[in-house]
Amino acid sequence: MKISSMRYLTKEGLKNVWVNRLMTISSIGVLVACMVLIGLSVLLSMNVTKIIGNLEQQNVVMVFFDDYNAARYDINGRTAPEGAVLDENGICDQMYTVHNEDEAKAICYEIEGIENVASATYVSKEEALEIVKKNMSDKAEAAIDALEGDSNPLSSGARVTMTNLEDFDKTIESIKKINGVNTIQAQSDLADKITSIKNGIFIAGIAIISILLIISLIIVSNTIRVTMYNRKLEISIMKAVGATDSFIRIPFVVEGITIGIISAIFAEGILYCCYRVAAEAILSNAGNFSIIPFSSKAFLLLGIFVVIGVVAGTFGSVIMISKYLKREGSEFAAI
């Protein structure tokens, strides 16, 4: 097709947008509403994912090592080799695995090597005691102070965080298999709830976006249908004199794409205003709670809107015009 013909057809498509301006405005309004709802769904999903990510990092698994204190308070489950020298607590070095800090840190490195483990931070028994003290009342803290030094009953261990809680149980099983790991304290119920929330939000987001995309496609299709109804005689004549399907179809495609792009620009501006108002309300009442800034996702959202507009405009136009082009030109007058 010649460049001059493309210019003519493009101009005709743009002219149709103005000629049918009332229907165009109506279509743009509905498309903008759909795009804004899609944008809000995307931003909500991103923010919830960020919050859940923070919860995942806070869902710490405590791994305690098989050290002297583990043997000391589990003496009935251990046996000393024949001829071994026992201390006053009936324990020898061969009855436990971790004998010093270096061996404990080596286990931490081994835990970090597991695929789903984000970090494994070494926690000495002194640090573990301090953590316990912070969670105790003032009266109980005085009693805990008496456990410092050799009286400290806690074992050294590792504070473990995971990358993905969906593989929580599998990762726990992998940690248990490491030599030197004694016990694990994990909130598996919380991990299951977080995973369920993530999956639910993902499914709901996909469903909402799919429904709104279908609505967008229907709206553009109806706009193009009205345009074709107004130009049915002209299309009939063009078909009768031998105009190709592409020649007839291009102006309607241009019209649909134009409506989609205009809607995308308006939707971006309206979404920015809505998100800014919502962000200010949330931040003023949520303390240290943080949300994703709109500026960091502005180009992504605009790209999504333009793609939605172009796809809806193109497919809506092609679907409607194709129904007409299957008929002979003389039949358009009967529609």
Side-chain angles (χ1 to χ4, degrees), residues 161-196:
T161 58
M162 299 184 190
T163 304
N164 186 357
L165 292 185
E166 292 182 3
D167 297 327
F168 185 87
D169 293 335
K170 180 180 178 181
T171 305
I172 292 296
E173 290 301 317
S174 298
I175 294 174
K176 288 180 178 179
K177 294 177 181 178
I178 295 177
N179 185 36
V181 171
N182 184 39
T183 58
I184 298 177
Q185 289 185 356
Q187 296 177 312
S188 58
D189 292 341
L190 177 60
D192 292 338
K193 290 179 181 178
I194 292 176
T195 301
S196 299

PDB file of all heavy atoms in Angstrom, residues 161-196:
ATOM      1  N   THR A 161      16.133 -16.782  57.577  1.00  0.00           N
ATOM      2  CA  THR A 161      15.014 -16.229  56.809  1.00  0.00           C
ATOM      3  C   THR A 161      14.981 -16.905  55.446  1.00  0.00           C
ATOM      4  O   THR A 161      16.019 -17.307  54.920  1.00  0.00           O
ATOM      5  CB  THR A 161      15.140 -14.713  56.635  1.00  0.00           C
ATOM      6  OG1 THR A 161      16.379 -14.403  55.982  1.00  0.00           O
ATOM      7  CG2 THR A 161      15.105 -14.005  57.981  1.00  0.00           C
ATOM      8  N   MET A 162      13.788 -16.989  54.887  1.00  0.00           N
ATOM      9  CA  MET A 162      13.613 -17.681  53.609  1.00  0.00           C
ATOM     10  C   MET A 162      13.208 -16.722  52.511  1.00  0.00           C
ATOM     11  O   MET A 162      12.603 -15.680  52.764  1.00  0.00           O
ATOM     12  CB  MET A 162      12.575 -18.797  53.749  1.00  0.00           C
ATOM     13  CG  MET A 162      12.965 -19.869  54.752  1.00  0.00           C
ATOM     14  SD  MET A 162      11.771 -21.211  54.780  1.00  0.00           S
ATOM     15  CE  MET A 162      12.342 -22.108  56.236  1.00  0.00           C
ATOM     16  N   THR A 163      13.515 -17.103  51.300  1.00  0.00           N
ATOM     17  CA  THR A 163      13.167 -16.293  50.139  1.00  0.00           C
ATOM     18  C   THR A 163      11.706 -16.459  49.770  1.00  0.00           C
ATOM     19  O   THR A 163      11.004 -15.494  49.494  1.00  0.00           O
ATOM     20  CB  THR A 163      14.040 -16.690  48.930  1.00  0.00           C
ATOM     21  OG1 THR A 163      15.417 -16.572  49.291  1.00  0.00           O
ATOM     22  CG2 THR A 163      13.747 -15.799  47.743  1.00  0.00           C
ATOM     23  N   ASN A 164      11.227 -17.672  49.794  1.00  0.00           N
ATOM     24  CA  ASN A 164       9.858 -17.970  49.379  1.00  0.00           C
ATOM     25  C   ASN A 164       9.226 -18.932  50.372  1.00  0.00           C
ATOM     26  O   ASN A 164       9.694 -20.058  50.538  1.00  0.00           O
ATOM     27  CB  ASN A 164       9.860 -18.582  47.968  1.00  0.00           C
ATOM     28  CG  ASN A 164       8.465 -18.769  47.423  1.00  0.00           C
ATOM     29  OD1 ASN A 164       7.477 -18.494  48.089  1.00  0.00           O
ATOM     30  ND2 ASN A 164       8.378 -19.242  46.197  1.00  0.00           N
ATOM     31  N   LEU A 165       8.157 -18.474  51.020  1.00  0.00           N
ATOM     32  CA  LEU A 165       7.523 -19.315  52.039  1.00  0.00           C
ATOM     33  C   LEU A 165       6.715 -20.468  51.447  1.00  0.00           C
ATOM     34  O   LEU A 165       6.268 -21.340  52.190  1.00  0.00           O
ATOM     35  CB  LEU A 165       6.614 -18.453  52.925  1.00  0.00           C
ATOM     36  CG  LEU A 165       7.334 -17.452  53.827  1.00  0.00           C
ATOM     37  CD1 LEU A 165       6.345 -16.753  54.744  1.00  0.00           C
ATOM     38  CD2 LEU A 165       8.420 -18.124  54.655  1.00  0.00           C
ATOM     39  N   GLU A 166       6.522 -20.470  50.136  1.00  0.00           N
ATOM     40  CA  GLU A 166       5.813 -21.585  49.520  1.00  0.00           C
ATOM     41  C   GLU A 166       6.607 -22.887  49.672  1.00  0.00           C
ATOM     42  O   GLU A 166       6.033 -23.975  49.681  1.00  0.00           O
ATOM     43  CB  GLU A 166       5.543 -21.296  48.041  1.00  0.00           C
ATOM     44  CG  GLU A 166       4.536 -20.171  47.821  1.00  0.00           C
ATOM     45  CD  GLU A 166       4.250 -19.950  46.360  1.00  0.00           C
ATOM     46  OE1 GLU A 166       4.796 -20.712  45.526  1.00  0.00           O
ATOM     47  OE2 GLU A 166       3.488 -19.024  46.036  1.00  0.00           O
ATOM     48  N   ASP A 167       7.929 -22.760  49.776  1.00  0.00           N
ATOM     49  CA  ASP A 167       8.794 -23.935  49.952  1.00  0.00           C
ATOM     50  C   ASP A 167       9.254 -24.070  51.402  1.00  0.00           C
ATOM     51  O   ASP A 167      10.319 -24.611  51.680  1.00  0.00           O
ATOM     52  CB  ASP A 167      10.014 -23.827  49.027  1.00  0.00           C
ATOM     53  CG  ASP A 167       9.624 -23.831  47.563  1.00  0.00           C
ATOM     54  OD1 ASP A 167       8.638 -24.498  47.215  1.00  0.00           O
ATOM     55  OD2 ASP A 167      10.289 -23.149  46.765  1.00  0.00           O
ATOM     56  N   PHE A 168       8.437 -23.546  52.318  1.00  0.00           N
ATOM     57  CA  PHE A 168       8.799 -23.500  53.738  1.00  0.00           C
ATOM     58  C   PHE A 168       9.099 -24.897  54.290  1.00  0.00           C
ATOM     59  O   PHE A 168      10.179 -25.149  54.829  1.00  0.00           O
ATOM     60  CB  PHE A 168       7.663 -22.854  54.532  1.00  0.00           C
ATOM     61  CG  PHE A 168       7.966 -22.646  55.984  1.00  0.00           C
ATOM     62  CD1 PHE A 168       8.612 -21.502  56.418  1.00  0.00           C
ATOM     63  CD2 PHE A 168       7.603 -23.602  56.927  1.00  0.00           C
ATOM     64  CE1 PHE A 168       8.885 -21.304  57.765  1.00  0.00           C
ATOM     65  CE2 PHE A 168       7.877 -23.418  58.270  1.00  0.00           C
ATOM     66  CZ  PHE A 168       8.520 -22.263  58.683  1.00  0.00           C
ATOM     67  N   ASP A 169       8.138 -25.812  54.162  1.00  0.00           N
ATOM     68  CA  ASP A 169       8.300 -27.156  54.741  1.00  0.00           C
ATOM     69  C   ASP A 169       9.476 -27.902  54.115  1.00  0.00           C
ATOM     70  O   ASP A 169      10.231 -28.591  54.817  1.00  0.00           O
ATOM     71  CB  ASP A 169       7.014 -27.959  54.549  1.00  0.00           C
ATOM     72  CG  ASP A 169       5.852 -27.402  55.365  1.00  0.00           C
ATOM     73  OD1 ASP A 169       6.125 -26.749  56.389  1.00  0.00           O
ATOM     74  OD2 ASP A 169       4.696 -27.612  54.974  1.00  0.00           O
ATOM     75  N   LYS A 170       9.636 -27.756  52.818  1.00  0.00           N
ATOM     76  CA  LYS A 170      10.744 -28.426  52.119  1.00  0.00           C
ATOM     77  C   LYS A 170      12.087 -27.907  52.624  1.00  0.00           C
ATOM     78  O   LYS A 170      13.041 -28.681  52.817  1.00  0.00           O
ATOM     79  CB  LYS A 170      10.609 -28.189  50.612  1.00  0.00           C
ATOM     80  CG  LYS A 170      11.698 -28.833  49.783  1.00  0.00           C
ATOM     81  CD  LYS A 170      11.480 -28.532  48.310  1.00  0.00           C
ATOM     82  CE  LYS A 170      12.609 -29.132  47.459  1.00  0.00           C
ATOM     83  NZ  LYS A 170      12.419 -28.823  46.017  1.00  0.00           N
ATOM     84  N   THR A 171      12.152 -26.584  52.865  1.00  0.00           N
ATOM     85  CA  THR A 171      13.403 -25.991  53.353  1.00  0.00           C
ATOM     86  C   THR A 171      13.708 -26.437  54.774  1.00  0.00           C
ATOM     87  O   THR A 171      14.863 -26.717  55.118  1.00  0.00           O
ATOM     88  CB  THR A 171      13.302 -24.451  53.300  1.00  0.00           C
ATOM     89  OG1 THR A 171      12.948 -24.038  51.978  1.00  0.00           O
ATOM     90  CG2 THR A 171      14.625 -23.805  53.675  1.00  0.00           C
ATOM     91  N   ILE A 172      12.674 -26.519  55.606  1.00  0.00           N
ATOM     92  CA  ILE A 172      12.855 -26.991  56.994  1.00  0.00           C
ATOM     93  C   ILE A 172      13.407 -28.410  56.996  1.00  0.00           C
ATOM     94  O   ILE A 172      14.323 -28.740  57.784  1.00  0.00           O
ATOM     95  CB  ILE A 172      11.523 -26.929  57.767  1.00  0.00           C
ATOM     96  CG1 ILE A 172      11.097 -25.478  57.988  1.00  0.00           C
ATOM     97  CG2 ILE A 172      11.652 -27.638  59.106  1.00  0.00           C
ATOM     98  CD1 ILE A 172      12.027 -24.664  58.851  1.00  0.00           C
ATOM     99  N   GLU A 173      12.883 -29.246  56.129  1.00  0.00           N
ATOM    100  CA  GLU A 173      13.371 -30.624  56.063  1.00  0.00           C
ATOM    101  C   GLU A 173      14.833 -30.666  55.639  1.00  0.00           C
ATOM    102  O   GLU A 173      15.608 -31.492  56.141  1.00  0.00           O
ATOM    103  CB  GLU A 173      12.516 -31.438  55.081  1.00  0.00           C
ATOM    104  CG  GLU A 173      11.104 -31.721  55.571  1.00  0.00           C
ATOM    105  CD  GLU A 173      11.090 -32.485  56.872  1.00  0.00           C
ATOM    106  OE1 GLU A 173      11.895 -33.430  57.000  1.00  0.00           O
ATOM    107  OE2 GLU A 173      10.286 -32.159  57.762  1.00  0.00           O
ATOM    108  N   SER A 174      15.221 -29.791  54.728  1.00  0.00           N
ATOM    109  CA  SER A 174      16.624 -29.734  54.291  1.00  0.00           C
ATOM    110  C   SER A 174      17.539 -29.287  55.422  1.00  0.00           C
ATOM    111  O   SER A 174      18.653 -29.802  55.583  1.00  0.00           O
ATOM    112  CB  SER A 174      16.763 -28.791  53.097  1.00  0.00           C
ATOM    113  OG  SER A 174      16.014 -29.241  51.986  1.00  0.00           O
ATOM    114  N   ILE A 175      17.052 -28.338  56.237  1.00  0.00           N
ATOM    115  CA  ILE A 175      17.853 -27.851  57.369  1.00  0.00           C
ATOM    116  C   ILE A 175      18.027 -28.960  58.409  1.00  0.00           C
ATOM    117  O   ILE A 175      19.108 -29.126  58.986  1.00  0.00           O
ATOM    118  CB  ILE A 175      17.201 -26.605  57.998  1.00  0.00           C
ATOM    119  CG1 ILE A 175      17.220 -25.434  57.010  1.00  0.00           C
ATOM    120  CG2 ILE A 175      17.927 -26.206  59.289  1.00  0.00           C
ATOM    121  CD1 ILE A 175      16.467 -24.210  57.496  1.00  0.00           C
ATOM    122  N   LYS A 176      16.976 -29.726  58.648  1.00  0.00           N
ATOM    123  CA  LYS A 176      17.031 -30.799  59.646  1.00  0.00           C
ATOM    124  C   LYS A 176      18.078 -31.853  59.304  1.00  0.00           C
ATOM    125  O   LYS A 176      18.632 -32.501  60.194  1.00  0.00           O
ATOM    126  CB  LYS A 176      15.660 -31.471  59.780  1.00  0.00           C
ATOM    127  CG  LYS A 176      14.610 -30.626  60.478  1.00  0.00           C
ATOM    128  CD  LYS A 176      13.284 -31.366  60.558  1.00  0.00           C
ATOM    129  CE  LYS A 176      12.232 -30.553  61.290  1.00  0.00           C
ATOM    130  NZ  LYS A 176      10.921 -31.253  61.346  1.00  0.00           N
ATOM    131  N   LYS A 177      18.352 -32.025  58.014  1.00  0.00           N
ATOM    132  CA  LYS A 177      19.288 -33.058  57.575  1.00  0.00           C
ATOM    133  C   LYS A 177      20.750 -32.657  57.795  1.00  0.00           C
ATOM    134  O   LYS A 177      21.645 -33.510  57.688  1.00  0.00           O
ATOM    135  CB  LYS A 177      19.068 -33.367  56.096  1.00  0.00           C
ATOM    136  CG  LYS A 177      17.717 -34.007  55.798  1.00  0.00           C
ATOM    137  CD  LYS A 177      17.540 -34.227  54.307  1.00  0.00           C
ATOM    138  CE  LYS A 177      16.176 -34.842  54.000  1.00  0.00           C
ATOM    139  NZ  LYS A 177      15.969 -35.023  52.536  1.00  0.00           N
ATOM    140  N   ILE A 178      20.992 -31.392  58.101  1.00  0.00           N
ATOM    141  CA  ILE A 178      22.373 -30.931  58.295  1.00  0.00           C
ATOM    142  C   ILE A 178      22.914 -31.440  59.625  1.00  0.00           C
ATOM    143  O   ILE A 178      22.262 -31.303  60.675  1.00  0.00           O
ATOM    144  CB  ILE A 178      22.447 -29.392  58.242  1.00  0.00           C
ATOM    145  CG1 ILE A 178      22.065 -28.904  56.837  1.00  0.00           C
ATOM    146  CG2 ILE A 178      23.834 -28.894  58.622  1.00  0.00           C
ATOM    147  CD1 ILE A 178      22.033 -27.395  56.714  1.00  0.00           C
ATOM    148  N   ASN A 179      24.088 -32.006  59.598  1.00  0.00           N
ATOM    149  CA  ASN A 179      24.730 -32.506  60.820  1.00  0.00           C
ATOM    150  C   ASN A 179      25.077 -31.344  61.741  1.00  0.00           C
ATOM    151  O   ASN A 179      25.751 -30.399  61.331  1.00  0.00           O
ATOM    152  CB  ASN A 179      25.996 -33.284  60.453  1.00  0.00           C
ATOM    153  CG  ASN A 179      26.633 -33.927  61.669  1.00  0.00           C
ATOM    154  OD1 ASN A 179      25.934 -34.383  62.573  1.00  0.00           O
ATOM    155  ND2 ASN A 179      27.958 -33.975  61.681  1.00  0.00           N
ATOM    156  N   GLY A 180      24.623 -31.424  62.980  1.00  0.00           N
ATOM    157  CA  GLY A 180      24.879 -30.368  63.946  1.00  0.00           C
ATOM    158  C   GLY A 180      23.635 -29.584  64.302  1.00  0.00           C
ATOM    159  O   GLY A 180      23.644 -28.799  65.254  1.00  0.00           O
ATOM    160  N   VAL A 181      22.543 -29.777  63.566  1.00  0.00           N
ATOM    161  CA  VAL A 181      21.272 -29.128  63.882  1.00  0.00           C
ATOM    162  C   VAL A 181      20.518 -29.985  64.895  1.00  0.00           C
ATOM    163  O   VAL A 181      20.332 -31.181  64.683  1.00  0.00           O
ATOM    164  CB  VAL A 181      20.415 -28.934  62.610  1.00  0.00           C
ATOM    165  CG1 VAL A 181      19.007 -28.466  62.974  1.00  0.00           C
ATOM    166  CG2 VAL A 181      21.083 -27.943  61.670  1.00  0.00           C
ATOM    167  N   ASN A 182      20.105 -29.376  66.002  1.00  0.00           N
ATOM    168  CA  ASN A 182      19.429 -30.107  67.063  1.00  0.00           C
ATOM    169  C   ASN A 182      17.911 -29.931  66.993  1.00  0.00           C
ATOM    170  O   ASN A 182      17.176 -30.887  66.769  1.00  0.00           O
ATOM    171  CB  ASN A 182      19.947 -29.661  68.427  1.00  0.00           C
ATOM    172  CG  ASN A 182      19.343 -30.471  69.564  1.00  0.00           C
ATOM    173  OD1 ASN A 182      19.170 -31.676  69.439  1.00  0.00           O
ATOM    174  ND2 ASN A 182      19.006 -29.807  70.659  1.00  0.00           N
ATOM    175  N   THR A 183      17.444 -28.697  67.161  1.00  0.00           N
ATOM    176  CA  THR A 183      16.008 -28.423  67.111  1.00  0.00           C
ATOM    177  C   THR A 183      15.745 -27.185  66.254  1.00  0.00           C
ATOM    178  O   THR A 183      16.635 -26.347  66.051  1.00  0.00           O
ATOM    179  CB  THR A 183      15.428 -28.188  68.516  1.00  0.00           C
ATOM    180  OG1 THR A 183      16.122 -27.096  69.131  1.00  0.00           O
ATOM    181  CG2 THR A 183      15.561 -29.425  69.375  1.00  0.00           C
ATOM    182  N   ILE A 184      14.493 -27.073  65.784  1.00  0.00           N
ATOM    183  CA  ILE A 184      14.086 -25.931  64.961  1.00  0.00           C
ATOM    184  C   ILE A 184      12.776 -25.389  65.501  1.00  0.00           C
ATOM    185  O   ILE A 184      11.831 -26.141  65.747  1.00  0.00           O
ATOM    186  CB  ILE A 184      13.915 -26.338  63.479  1.00  0.00           C
ATOM    187  CG1 ILE A 184      15.237 -26.824  62.898  1.00  0.00           C
ATOM    188  CG2 ILE A 184      13.371 -25.164  62.658  1.00  0.00           C
ATOM    189  CD1 ILE A 184      15.129 -27.313  61.466  1.00  0.00           C
ATOM    190  N   GLN A 185      12.740 -24.078  65.695  1.00  0.00           N
ATOM    191  CA  GLN A 185      11.506 -23.402  66.087  1.00  0.00           C
ATOM    192  C   GLN A 185      10.997 -22.617  64.875  1.00  0.00           C
ATOM    193  O   GLN A 185      11.642 -21.673  64.430  1.00  0.00           O
ATOM    194  CB  GLN A 185      11.739 -22.454  67.270  1.00  0.00           C
ATOM    195  CG  GLN A 185      12.006 -23.176  68.583  1.00  0.00           C
ATOM    196  CD  GLN A 185      12.116 -22.210  69.753  1.00  0.00           C
ATOM    197  OE1 GLN A 185      12.073 -21.006  69.582  1.00  0.00           O
ATOM    198  NE2 GLN A 185      12.277 -22.763  70.944  1.00  0.00           N
ATOM    199  N   ALA A 186       9.844 -23.021  64.340  1.00  0.00           N
ATOM    200  CA  ALA A 186       9.320 -22.394  63.122  1.00  0.00           C
ATOM    201  C   ALA A 186       7.814 -22.219  63.241  1.00  0.00           C
ATOM    202  O   ALA A 186       7.120 -23.050  63.823  1.00  0.00           O
ATOM    203  CB  ALA A 186       9.646 -23.255  61.902  1.00  0.00           C
ATOM    204  N   GLN A 187       7.328 -21.097  62.687  1.00  0.00           N
ATOM    205  CA  GLN A 187       5.897 -20.817  62.668  1.00  0.00           C
ATOM    206  C   GLN A 187       5.339 -21.262  61.307  1.00  0.00           C
ATOM    207  O   GLN A 187       5.100 -20.463  60.417  1.00  0.00           O
ATOM    208  CB  GLN A 187       5.638 -19.330  62.898  1.00  0.00           C
ATOM    209  CG  GLN A 187       6.075 -18.845  64.280  1.00  0.00           C
ATOM    210  CD  GLN A 187       5.866 -17.355  64.447  1.00  0.00           C
ATOM    211  OE1 GLN A 187       6.238 -16.555  63.593  1.00  0.00           O
ATOM    212  NE2 GLN A 187       5.261 -16.974  65.560  1.00  0.00           N
ATOM    213  N   SER A 188       5.120 -22.541  61.174  1.00  0.00           N
ATOM    214  CA  SER A 188       4.656 -23.080  59.899  1.00  0.00           C
ATOM    215  C   SER A 188       3.243 -22.613  59.565  1.00  0.00           C
ATOM    216  O   SER A 188       2.904 -22.430  58.393  1.00  0.00           O
ATOM    217  CB  SER A 188       4.701 -24.607  59.927  1.00  0.00           C
ATOM    218  OG  SER A 188       3.914 -25.112  60.993  1.00  0.00           O
ATOM    219  N   ASP A 189       2.397 -22.408  60.580  1.00  0.00           N
ATOM    220  CA  ASP A 189       1.029 -21.939  60.332  1.00  0.00           C
ATOM    221  C   ASP A 189       1.038 -20.551  59.706  1.00  0.00           C
ATOM    222  O   ASP A 189       0.278 -20.270  58.775  1.00  0.00           O
ATOM    223  CB  ASP A 189       0.224 -21.916  61.632  1.00  0.00           C
ATOM    224  CG  ASP A 189      -0.041 -23.310  62.164  1.00  0.00           C
ATOM    225  OD1 ASP A 189       0.069 -24.270  61.374  1.00  0.00           O
ATOM    226  OD2 ASP A 189      -0.344 -23.443  63.368  1.00  0.00           O
ATOM    227  N   LEU A 190       1.913 -19.672  60.215  1.00  0.00           N
ATOM    228  CA  LEU A 190       2.011 -18.331  59.659  1.00  0.00           C
ATOM    229  C   LEU A 190       2.506 -18.373  58.222  1.00  0.00           C
ATOM    230  O   LEU A 190       2.021 -17.635  57.360  1.00  0.00           O
ATOM    231  CB  LEU A 190       2.952 -17.474  60.520  1.00  0.00           C
ATOM    232  CG  LEU A 190       3.222 -16.044  60.027  1.00  0.00           C
ATOM    233  CD1 LEU A 190       1.922 -15.273  59.941  1.00  0.00           C
ATOM    234  CD2 LEU A 190       4.210 -15.341  60.947  1.00  0.00           C
ATOM    235  N   ALA A 191       3.462 -19.243  57.966  1.00  0.00           N
ATOM    236  CA  ALA A 191       3.980 -19.385  56.605  1.00  0.00           C
ATOM    237  C   ALA A 191       2.887 -19.835  55.650  1.00  0.00           C
ATOM    238  O   ALA A 191       2.774 -19.335  54.525  1.00  0.00           O
ATOM    239  CB  ALA A 191       5.138 -20.375  56.585  1.00  0.00           C
ATOM    240  N   ASP A 192       2.047 -20.775  56.092  1.00  0.00           N
ATOM    241  CA  ASP A 192       0.945 -21.256  55.249  1.00  0.00           C
ATOM    242  C   ASP A 192      -0.064 -20.139  54.978  1.00  0.00           C
ATOM    243  O   ASP A 192      -0.577 -20.010  53.859  1.00  0.00           O
ATOM    244  CB  ASP A 192       0.243 -22.436  55.918  1.00  0.00           C
ATOM    245  CG  ASP A 192       1.130 -23.674  55.977  1.00  0.00           C
ATOM    246  OD1 ASP A 192       2.085 -23.763  55.176  1.00  0.00           O
ATOM    247  OD2 ASP A 192       0.879 -24.543  56.833  1.00  0.00           O
ATOM    248  N   LYS A 193      -0.351 -19.325  55.993  1.00  0.00           N
ATOM    249  CA  LYS A 193      -1.311 -18.234  55.825  1.00  0.00           C
ATOM    250  C   LYS A 193      -0.777 -17.185  54.847  1.00  0.00           C
ATOM    251  O   LYS A 193      -1.514 -16.691  53.995  1.00  0.00           O
ATOM    252  CB  LYS A 193      -1.614 -17.592  57.184  1.00  0.00           C
ATOM    253  CG  LYS A 193      -2.432 -18.477  58.111  1.00  0.00           C
ATOM    254  CD  LYS A 193      -2.673 -17.795  59.448  1.00  0.00           C
ATOM    255  CE  LYS A 193      -3.466 -18.702  60.383  1.00  0.00           C
ATOM    256  NZ  LYS A 193      -3.672 -18.079  61.708  1.00  0.00           N
ATOM    257  N   ILE A 194       0.506 -16.845  54.983  1.00  0.00           N
ATOM    258  CA  ILE A 194       1.104 -15.861  54.084  1.00  0.00           C
ATOM    259  C   ILE A 194       1.087 -16.366  52.649  1.00  0.00           C
ATOM    260  O   ILE A 194       0.768 -15.620  51.716  1.00  0.00           O
ATOM    261  CB  ILE A 194       2.543 -15.537  54.537  1.00  0.00           C
ATOM    262  CG1 ILE A 194       2.520 -14.777  55.874  1.00  0.00           C
ATOM    263  CG2 ILE A 194       3.272 -14.711  53.478  1.00  0.00           C
ATOM    264  CD1 ILE A 194       3.898 -14.508  56.447  1.00  0.00           C
ATOM    265  N   THR A 195       1.407 -17.629  52.458  1.00  0.00           N
ATOM    266  CA  THR A 195       1.382 -18.214  51.115  1.00  0.00           C
ATOM    267  C   THR A 195      -0.022 -18.203  50.535  1.00  0.00           C
ATOM    268  O   THR A 195      -0.216 -17.886  49.350  1.00  0.00           O
ATOM    269  CB  THR A 195       1.907 -19.659  51.169  1.00  0.00           C
ATOM    270  OG1 THR A 195       3.250 -19.659  51.675  1.00  0.00           O
ATOM    271  CG2 THR A 195       1.910 -20.275  49.783  1.00  0.00           C
ATOM    272  N   SER A 196      -1.032 -18.521  51.356  1.00  0.00           N
ATOM    273  CA  SER A 196      -2.419 -18.518  50.892  1.00  0.00           C
ATOM    274  C   SER A 196      -2.857 -17.115  50.486  1.00  0.00           C
ATOM    275  O   SER A 196      -3.548 -16.938  49.478  1.00  0.00           O
ATOM    276  CB  SER A 196      -3.343 -19.056  51.987  1.00  0.00           C
ATOM    277  OG  SER A 196      -3.011 -20.391  52.320  1.00  0.00           O
TER     278      SER A 196
END
